[in-house]
Amino acid sequence: MNNNEILLLKLGEVVLKGLNRRSFEDKLVSNVRRRMKPCGSFQIYIRQSTIYVEPQTEDCDMEAAFKAARQVFGIVTVARAVPCAKEMDAIVETAKTYLADEFAKARTFKVESRRADKQFPMNSIQISQYVGGELGQFFNVKADMHHPDLTVYVEIREKYAYIHTPSVPGAGGLPIGMGGRAVSLLSGGLDSPVSSYMIARRGVELEMIHFASPPYTSEQAREKVLQLARELVPWCGRLNVTIVPFAEIQEEIRRNCPEDHFTLIMRRFMMRIAEDIAAHNECKAIVTGENLGQVASQTMEAMACTQDVTHLPVLQPLIGMDKRDIVKIAREIGTF
C-alpha cells in the first residue's frame, strides 16, 4: 500500500438536490464516518461533490475501507488515489511511482484529466498530452485513445492534484436516514432481503419484522433470518429485528376460517401487527417483498385485500421485477 493513498468518493444523485442538498451531504458524510470507524482513523470531509477519506495512521486498513465505501448508499464511484503538488513534474513523478505495477501489465494507455481548479495554467487536454507524453516515453507504452489497457486519471482540485486508475461503482442511491423510516417484513426467503436492500437504497432507515411459528418453524430457520439481517447491515446500517410469535394466530385461523382463505387472512394479520410495530417505532410505511403474479397470494386482488387492513403505505420495490434480476441482486449483496 502507498502510504499517501486516499479514497475519493464521488456523490451520485445527491448533487441534483436543490436547497436541501446540504442536509443530504451532511448525512452522507456522517454515514461514511460510521462505516470507516472499524477500518482505522480517517479524516473525512467533502469538497466539490467528492468525499475525501484520508488515513491518519499507518495501521489504517485501506482494503477494508475501500470495500466499506462501496457499500455506502449515496456514493456512485470509489477511487484509490494519491495526492501530489499541483505541478506538472510532481504529477508525472507521482504517476510513475504509483502506477508502475499497472504499467508493467499494460501495452497501451491513455490519460484523462479533469481541471476542477480553473486557475490552473493548463487546460485538461494540455495536461493529458503532457502527462501522457512523459509516461509513454518512460514506460515505453503506446498511447491508445479508444481501447487502452490502462487509463490514468489526473484530477486538479482545490489543494492538490490526484492520480488514480479507473473508479469502481459504488452503491448509488441516497444516504440512509434521508428517506424516512419503515418496517420491513423479513422472511427466510430470497425476495424480502432484496426488497429491504432496494428500499434502503432510497435512503430509508429500516426496522425488521420476522413472523416465527415454532414448533412449525425451527430454530435454524430463525437463525437463518437473523443471518440475512446481518448480511444487510453493511448496506442498510444498524438493524433491529423484531421476532413475532405467530403460531397461535395461525392455529386459530386454521380452526375458524375456510382453508382456501388461510394465506390471505394470515397475511392480513401480519399487516395489522406490522402497522402496530411501525407506530411504536415511528415508521411511516411497510415494506414487503411481493412480486406481482409470483404466487397466488400476490395477485392484484390478493394484495389489495391484504393491504386493506392498514392505513400505512405499503412499499413493494420488487413488484414488477423479473426473478432473474432479483437473484442477481441477492448474489451481489450476499443474501442469496
Side-chain angles (χ1 to χ4, degrees):
M1 183 193 83
N2 188 300
N3 289 333
N4 295 322
E5 192 174 56
I6 70 169
L7 300 180
L8 299 179
L9 283 50
K10 302 298 179 68
L11 276 59
E13 60 184 284
V14 168
V15 302
L16 303 177
K17 299 299 177 183
L19 297 177
N20 60 347
R21 174 174 169 173
R22 179 63 180 271
S23 61
F24 279 81
E25 290 181 343
D26 289 346
K27 174 59 72 173
L28 183 51
V29 170
S30 174
N31 291 348
V32 171
R33 288 191 175 120
R34 175 180 55 80
R35 288 305 313 279
M36 292 299 135
K37 277 186 178 180
C39 307
S41 176
F42 293 88
Q43 182 182 7
I44 299 169
Y45 58 94
I46 187 168
R47 298 281 190 279
Q48 297 175 309
S49 301
T50 298
I51 294 177
Y52 296 76
V53 180
E54 300 179 355
Q56 299 299 291
T57 58
E58 292 185 1
D59 61 350
C60 288
D61 188 340
M62 291 299 289
E63 291 292 339
F66 181 75
K67 181 180 178 181
R70 297 188 65 188
Q71 295 178 304
V72 177
F73 291 129
I75 301 299
V76 69
T77 63
V78 180
R80 303 172 77 144
V82 168
C84 65
K86 291 195 295 185
E87 301 170 357
M88 295 309 299
D89 289 344
I91 292 170
V92 170
E93 291 304 314
T94 299
K96 287 178 181 178
T97 303
Y98 184 51
L99 303 177
D101 292 342
E102 299 295 329
F103 271 102
K105 298 178 287 186
R107 291 179 297 177
T108 59
F109 83 109
K110 73 173 180 178
V111 177
E112 289 192 7
S113 301
R114 179 171 179 262
R115 188 184 58 152
D117 177 8
K118 302 306 180 184
Q119 302 302 313
F120 193 76
M122 299 172 70
N123 63 34
S124 298
I125 294 176
Q126 292 170 330
I127 295 168
S128 296
Q129 290 174 337
Y130 182 87
V131 175
E134 293 292 319
L135 294 178
Q137 184 176 5
F138 182 81
F139 290 108
N140 193 27
V141 178
K142 292 182 179 180
D144 183 345
M145 299 298 106
H146 302 290
H147 304 288
D149 296 330
L150 173 65
T151 301
V152 177
Y153 290 86
V154 178
E155 297 192 31
I156 309 296
R157 290 186 164 268
E158 190 176 34
K159 294 175 62 177
Y160 300 103
Y162 296 88
I163 313 298
H164 63 88
T165 51
S167 304
V168 299
L174 294 172
I176 292 286
M178 295 304 296
R181 290 171 56 82
V183 294
S184 184
L185 307 189
L186 183 65
S187 70
L190 183 71
D191 294 342
S192 59
V194 176
S195 69
S196 299
Y197 161 84
M198 290 186 66
I199 211 68
R201 195 167 183 251
R202 301 311 302 160
V204 178
E205 190 175 352
L206 295 176
E207 291 280 336
M208 315 303 285
I209 303 174
H210 173 65
F211 293 92
S213 302
Y216 307 111
T217 57
S218 66
E219 179 63 26
Q220 287 85 351
R222 179 177 180 274
E223 181 54 38
K224 178 184 178 183
V225 168
L226 294 177
Q227 182 57 37
L228 285 171
R230 294 185 192 104
E231 297 290 348
L232 288 171
V233 165
W235 305 96
C236 303
R238 181 174 176 268
L239 294 174
N240 292 321
V241 182
T242 299
I243 306 292
V244 178
F246 202 63
E248 186 175 348
I249 294 175
Q250 286 179 302
E251 291 169 353
E252 287 297 317
I253 296 172
R254 184 77 71 185
R255 281 193 291 267
N256 294 286
C257 301
E259 177 65 26
D260 57 349
H261 290 169
F262 174 78
T263 301
L264 196 60
I265 295 171
M266 178 184 70
R267 292 177 71 85
R268 283 168 65 93
F269 270 99
M270 288 180 173
M271 297 300 282
R272 285 193 177 105
I273 294 170
E275 184 176 53
D276 287 344
I277 295 174
H280 182 73
N281 289 280
E282 299 182 344
C283 297
K284 305 302 183 184
I286 298 171
V287 182
T288 73
E290 290 167 308
N291 183 247
L292 185 60
Q294 182 168 255
V295 295
S297 63
Q298 294 178 16
T299 63
M300 286 188 184
E301 294 82 2
M303 287 188 290
C305 182
T306 299
Q307 296 170 22
D308 189 54
V309 298
T310 177
H311 296 93
L312 292 178
V314 179
L315 309 180
Q316 302 161 304
L318 310 187
I319 194 69
M321 291 184 65
D322 187 272
K323 193 68 173 183
R324 292 175 300 175
D325 297 328
I326 298 173
V327 169
K328 180 182 177 183
I329 295 173
R331 290 185 185 277
E332 290 173 352
I333 66 176
T335 61
F336 182 72

